[in-house]
Every structure is written in C-alpha cells, then in structure tokens.
Amino acid sequence: MIESPKPRRGRPPLTDRPETRGRILDAALEVFSERGYDGATVRQIAAKVGVSDPALYAHFKGKQEIFEALLKLAGPDLLASAGTSLASDKTPMQIAIPEMFGNIVATWSTPRAKAFASLVLRMGPDGLGNMLQDVSARLRPAFTVWQARGELRKDIPVDVAIWQVIGPLAGLRITYLHGNASKADVAHAKSLAKTHLKIVAQTLTQTRSQEE
C-alpha cells in the first residue's frame, strides 16, 4: 500500500495568509489615492502587494469589489450602516445618536479610514457629495422611526435632521481625519465630534417651548 505524502510543514504561501486581504486593501488605497479609481488597475495593486494578478483574484473579483470592500470598512458605507442598527434599536434617539456616531468617528481614526478620507478628497466635491447623499438616504428610515415615536421634533424635516448630524461629521473627517492627520488632529476631531453629537441630539429632541 502506497502512503499518501504528508503535507509539508512551514509558513503558508503568501496568498493563503489571512492578512493578505488586508494588505490588498491597504495597497489599493495607495494606488487609488495616487491614480484615482479610473486610473488604478488590478495589476498595479497586485504589484504593490507583491502578489500575482491571479493571486489577487483569489481574494477579490476585480477593482470594483476591492473598492466596495473599502467603502464598507472605511467609507460612507460605515456611516450608512448605522441606519440599519438605529432603525431596529429601541434606544432613544438622544442616546443612540451620540453613541452610534461616536463609535463611527473612533473608527474613522484608524490608519485605513484616514487613508480613505484622503482618497475622497482626490475624488473632488462631486464624489463626496454623491456619497453623502447616499448616506442620507440610507439613514432616513431610522430618523423617520424616531419622528414617528415622537423623539424627533415634528417641526424639523427628517432630511434636515440627518444633515444636521452628518454634515459637520463629514467636515471633521475631511479636515482632521485625513491620511496626514497628526495625533493632535485626531484628538481634536474626537473632542469636537463628541460635543457636536451631544448638542445636536438635544436640539433635535427639544420642542420650541423648551428652547424659548
């Protein structure tokens, strides 16, 4: 009886390591930032990682799928995903907004997320505007639920309430949480975001009589 050869021990091939996917995403961020989405190619991304094109395709179907993965990890999809959690959560709006969006701001402080902010800057005002419009649309269900429950002021349109939350946060990200942001920039952004979220949550729940 011929015995099957035993598997060789040692380090797994580069393309089999769990961190390869992350390295591809980091490399893609660099290439996208340098060349823009349209100018970037899978070959350029693979070369920066140090793998072959077929090895990269073992992790992603192509450039579009890589970009979509970055959106979920560090882009507007991260902010938009809050809408699903918020809409299904019983937590009052005044508590949910600072908690949920505060966590998102903390995630924006990671190296990959800061690099993505630099990519957004390269995409120009149209790219940023389209992303924010998408975020606003996906957050609308949660804010609509809050207004139906009487937690969001009836005199403030839902879309206006959403922009009061995410508009300043988007500005903070571009100004203080880009790829070249210092530790001081990050700390300042977190402090400003914390104060903003607390104030805006209170403002959106106050009635006119309370304000007067």
Side-chain angles (χ1 to χ4, degrees):
M1 180 177 179
I2 301 176
E3 295 183 359
S4 300
K6 295 182 180 180
R8 296 177 60 185
R9 294 185 178 181
R11 300 181 67 183
L14 178 64
T15 54
D16 290 340
R17 297 177 197 165
E19 67 267 21
T20 301
R21 181 181 173 87
R23 294 176 64 239
I24 292 172
L25 292 175
D26 290 335
L29 266 176
E30 291 185 40
V31 176
F32 288 146
S33 296
E34 293 168 359
R35 302 175 180 272
Y37 178 81
D38 292 334
T41 66
V42 167
R43 176 163 296 180
Q44 292 164 352
I45 296 170
K48 189 170 284 288
V49 180
V51 299
S52 64
D53 292 5
L56 186 146
Y57 283 120
H59 295 273
F60 296 98
K61 293 179 181 179
K63 182 174 69 172
Q64 179 63 32
E65 188 170 290
I66 295 174
F67 190 76
E68 289 173 355
L70 289 171
L71 287 176
K72 292 178 181 178
L73 289 173
D77 274 15
L78 175 66
L79 185 53
S81 66
T84 303
S85 300
L86 293 172
S88 60
D89 196 349
K90 300 297 183 181
T91 304
M93 185 188 75
Q94 195 166 355
I95 297 175
I97 285 180
E99 183 175 316
M100 178 65 70
F101 289 98
N103 291 338
I104 288 173
V105 171
T107 302
W108 280 348
S109 304
T110 62
R112 186 178 292 159
K114 289 193 293 182
F116 189 88
S118 294
L119 172 59
V120 171
L121 284 173
R122 180 182 175 86
M123 294 171 68
D126 289 341
L128 177 60
N130 291 335
M131 287 183 177
L132 288 176
Q133 287 180 3
D134 179 57
V135 170
S136 178
R138 293 168 66 176
L139 287 175
R140 193 174 295 119
F143 282 74
T144 301
V145 168
W146 284 331
Q147 195 165 64
R149 293 202 310 229
E151 297 174 18
L152 173 61
R153 287 169 48 171
K154 299 291 185 181
D155 62 317
I156 299 181
V158 167
D159 286 342
V160 173
I162 293 171
W163 280 97
Q164 285 185 353
V165 176
I166 67 173
L169 292 182
L172 280 176
R173 184 173 194 188
I174 297 303
T175 305
Y176 296 108
L177 296 175
H178 49 77
N180 296 321
S182 65
K183 290 184 178 179
D185 290 333
V186 172
H188 187 52
K190 288 182 177 180
S191 177
L192 289 175
K194 182 178 180 180
T195 302
H196 160 66
L197 291 170
K198 181 179 179 180
I199 292 174
V200 76
Q202 292 173 345
T203 301
L204 294 177
T205 56
Q206 286 177 334
T207 62
R208 285 183 174 178
S209 60
Q210 286 176 312
E211 291 178 333
E212 297 170 356

